[in-house]
Amino acid sequence: CCGNSTYFPDCNHGMAMLGFLELMASQGVSEPEMWQSALALNSFWFPDNYIQTALYFKAVKNIDWENVDPKTVMGKDFSTISGWSGTVAKKVSELGLVPQQKAGAGCGV
């Protein structure tokens, strides 16, 4: 989420996701189910971001949220703050789909 390397995920979300995925793997969950579950979990952690991401896919790509590939959304362009800001936030703002925010939350201190 913070753009940190997966070799040393030093944010709480990254470590929690790693543990979540390892637990799922230990129980024999399939990779597609893991991608979908990871997206669902991230959507609870960052609801505003993923609502805007759903708007982006509908308005820009003409894809309904339920048809979006979780592996794509969980990639660096949509699920890191730097990628999301340049891809989603910029475009939905340009299109006037969300109100302008003056400040937002972040992982950094």
Side-chain angles (χ1 to χ4, degrees):
C1 60
C2 300
N4 295 328
S5 171
T6 55
Y7 293 110
F8 185 70
D10 60 348
C11 80
N12 291 333
H13 300 106
M15 290 305 292
M17 183 63 77
L18 178 61
F20 177 68
L21 293 171
E22 286 180 345
L23 180 62
M24 292 179 77
S26 74
Q27 295 178 4
V29 175
S30 71
E31 185 178 338
E33 289 176 292
M34 291 173 74
W35 283 110
Q36 187 65 45
S37 297
L39 176 56
L41 185 56
N42 250 15
S43 296
F44 280 106
W45 284 333
F46 305 104
D48 293 338
N49 293 63
Y50 286 95
I51 289 169
Q52 290 185 42
T53 302
L55 283 171
Y56 170 88
F57 275 98
K58 184 61 178 172
V60 176
K61 305 285 187 181
N62 197 28
I63 302 172
D64 292 327
W65 184 243
E66 61 268 11
N67 297 321
V68 173
D69 177 22
K71 194 171 182 177
T72 298
V73 178
M74 292 301 296
K76 67 181 176 84
D77 291 337
F78 298 101
S79 288
T80 65
I81 193 61
S82 59
W84 182 86
S85 296
T87 304
V88 175
K90 180 180 177 185
K91 192 64 173 178
V92 297
S93 179
E94 287 172 0
L95 295 172
L97 298 175
V98 294
Q100 296 293 322
Q101 285 187 311
K102 293 185 174 139
C107 293
V109 176

